[in-house]
Amino acid sequence: MIVSDKFMVNSDAGRMEAARYATENFAWQAKLSKRDTLRLDLLVEETLGMARTMLEDFYGQIWFTAEGRACEIHFEATADMNADKKEELLSVSSTGKNASAKGFMARLGETISGMLHSAGKSMDAYGQQTMKYGIVHTPDMAGASTGMVTVWSLQSYVSDLNAAPDGDTGAEAAWDELEKSIVAKLADDVIVGVRGDRIDLVIKKTF
């Protein structure tokens, strides 16, 4: 199994651009083809782009694992936000002003933002305004009984959309976004865990 070093990232554009070198170095270690390296690079670029759009300030790290052809992108970040900013975003989300989010990754970013800033409050408002599919509440991602986190996964999202009734305009719009999304097309699964002000995101892809 290959486990890369952890590369520090933040909202600085230069630092995020430098993540490309870490991606390509891992791709070399995992013996990925040029085509697969490009795919991996696109997944990382979309993930960090979403984080930068979603959060004005964040700091975190990204790393990679590979076992055979099965690769994972791990992104862990902490939002640097005070209580006033959290309340501001909470208000925006609950009033539906974030409904202007376009595209799958933008909508996922708004959903994560809602989970991140809800701080134990009801998720219903965020689910209705952003993604009401694919959200589940489970024990923390490590499986320990140290609390609860909100988890969203692409596979659960697709499963929920498949189960949506005919004529559900929200589901139809979601399918349209999925069909146009680079991440949805390339990734086998995307798993997001949120606890407090921390985000844990894993993208799985078997090349």
Side-chain angles (χ1 to χ4, degrees):
M1 183 174 183
I2 300 172
V3 180
S4 75
D5 293 334
K6 295 184 177 181
F7 185 82
M8 304 305 295
V9 292
N10 55 35
S11 51
D12 179 74
R15 190 63 180 168
M16 295 176 74
E17 176 65 23
R20 177 171 297 176
Y21 295 101
T23 303
E24 293 178 352
N25 183 59
F26 167 76
W28 176 79
Q29 294 180 56
K31 296 182 172 61
L32 298 183
S33 66
K34 289 183 178 180
R35 183 182 181 186
D36 289 340
T37 299
L38 176 60
R39 290 174 173 175
L40 187 71
D41 189 53
L42 285 172
L43 288 171
V44 171
E45 183 179 325
E46 289 285 313
T47 299
L48 295 181
M50 178 193 68
R52 190 180 183 196
T53 300
M54 177 181 64
L55 302 170
E56 292 182 0
D57 295 298
F58 74 89
Y59 54 95
Q61 51 194 1
I62 190 167
W63 71 97
F64 308 87
T65 65
E67 190 162 6
R69 306 301 294 173
C71 298
E72 293 183 357
I73 302 168
H74 293 258
F75 172 64
E76 180 182 280
T78 301
D80 185 12
M81 312 196 81
N82 56 36
D84 289 340
K85 186 61 178 177
K86 286 188 177 184
E87 285 302 316
E88 177 187 337
L89 286 179
L90 204 59
S91 175
V92 168
S93 294
S94 63
T95 57
K97 293 179 182 178
N98 61 346
S100 61
K102 301 296 182 182
F104 171 73
M105 289 301 282
R107 196 174 295 273
L108 176 57
E110 292 291 350
T111 299
I112 295 173
S113 183
M115 292 189 289
L116 186 65
H117 304 301
S118 63
K121 299 178 182 179
S122 172
M123 280 298 302
D124 291 345
Y126 304 108
Q128 293 298 322
Q129 296 298 336
T130 52
M131 285 179 170
K132 64 180 179 179
Y133 304 106
I135 296 176
V136 295
H137 295 277
T138 66
D140 62 85
M141 297 180 79
S145 57
T146 55
M148 301 293 284
V149 295
T150 300
V151 174
W152 180 95
S153 79
L154 178 59
Q155 288 188 357
S156 294
Y157 186 59
V158 171
S159 178
D160 287 350
L161 288 178
N162 280 323
D166 292 339
D168 186 326
T169 57
E172 291 173 359
W175 276 120
D176 185 58
E177 289 176 346
L178 279 177
E179 291 172 357
K180 297 176 181 177
S181 168
I182 293 174
V183 172
K185 284 182 179 179
L186 294 181
D188 296 329
D189 199 8
V190 179
I191 302 171
V192 181
V194 173
R195 187 214 307 267
D197 61 353
R198 194 184 78 186
I199 306 164
D200 291 297
L201 184 148
V202 180
I203 295 179
K204 298 183 178 184
K205 174 66 178 179
T206 298
F207 293 101

